[in-house]
Amino acid sequence: MGGVQVLRGGAPPEVSDFDLAWLEHGDEVRKPLGYAADVAFEDVAPVRDFPSYRGQRHFPGLYWSATMGRHVGFESWLERDHAILMDFDPQVVGYASQPFWLFWRDEASGRGRSHAPDFFARASDGTGLVLDCRPADRVDDRSAVAFAAMRRACEQLGWTYRLAGEIDAVRVANLRWLAGYRHPRYGESDGLNAAVTAAFAVPAPLVAQAASVGDPLQILPVVFHLLWCGRLAADLSYPLSDRTLVSRSEER
């Protein structure tokens, strides 16, 4: 998953110290952890709101996911960037934000705790990934306990858990740009898609080769869309530019 790989695990345990709660038809359902194996968390609604208020430090919003064909919420630009990364990843077939509450009892204090992870993603092989987005220097003691509990719960379910920080600045800048052309409308013309793909049968500079097909104002959005979809390929570890070498690709 663009550096986030989900691994197949075993069957969920019959007994666990964790409960999960999620929404079904607007109603909260709370059950022991083992029941989660049968829930399509990539399709659930968020269990909590994304508040917006004057002076807040984060920037909440909605990201339209080409993978899901609908909006996915985020509470920070870091979460938005990871939503883009999952949307770009061909191994991800679905994902949702704030998918469930995890409940457990803290061993040190004896008090009940809860945590809603930032994302759940489903891989093409059916396995699951739970993702929390937090820079390493902003993980305090309380959140570290919650992340550790979430990791233990995922291990019991055979899911992968990842605490995700900042994405490489160049790569994420490229993905933000390409995401601007993720909508299917940029690839509606099969004839134009075929012409653009054929033009890049061998690696060629992005803008010059696009211009060889037609008006760059018409052709470049198609090139960017095909880069997003993986039908064209480029080295995204370097900034996209006029001279970026683009080539045809069967797989991303």
Side-chain angles (χ1 to χ4, degrees), residues 199-200 204-214 216 219-220 223 241-244:
F200 290 97
L206 190 158
V207 172
Q209 195 70 348
S212 73
V213 180
I219 302 303
L220 283 174
V223 174
S241 72
D242 294 1
R243 296 180 297 277
T244 295

Side-chain angles (χ1 to χ4, degrees), residues 95-216:
Y95 63 101
S97 57
Q98 306 290 333
F100 56 78
W101 287 105
L102 177 74
F103 295 97
W104 75 99
R105 189 164 297 279
D106 185 77
E107 294 181 358
S109 66
R111 295 180 178 178
R113 290 285 307 273
S114 63
H115 173 65
D118 293 322
F119 295 104
F120 175 90
R122 184 75 65 185
S124 56
D125 65 359
T127 54
L129 166 75
V130 173
L131 192 69
D132 275 311
C133 303
R134 187 76 61 89
D137 60 357
R138 293 191 52 228
V139 178
D140 56 23
D141 292 342
R142 181 174 176 81
S143 59
V145 170
F147 297 151
M150 191 72 254
R151 185 180 299 277
R152 293 197 305 273
C154 288
E155 289 172 351
Q156 292 183 24
L157 283 166
W159 292 346
T160 293
Y161 175 75
R162 185 180 179 191
L163 179 58
E166 300 289 347
I167 306 170
D168 176 76
V170 172
R171 179 174 174 79
V172 76
N174 288 334
L175 291 181
R176 289 171 188 163
W177 177 264
L178 294 179
Y181 301 90
R182 66 191 182 277
H183 197 280
R185 65 175 174 267
Y186 292 106
E188 289 179 342
S189 172
D190 291 337
L192 192 55
N193 290 342
V196 170
T197 303
F200 290 97
V202 296
L206 190 158
V207 172
Q209 195 70 348
S212 73
V213 180
D215 182 353

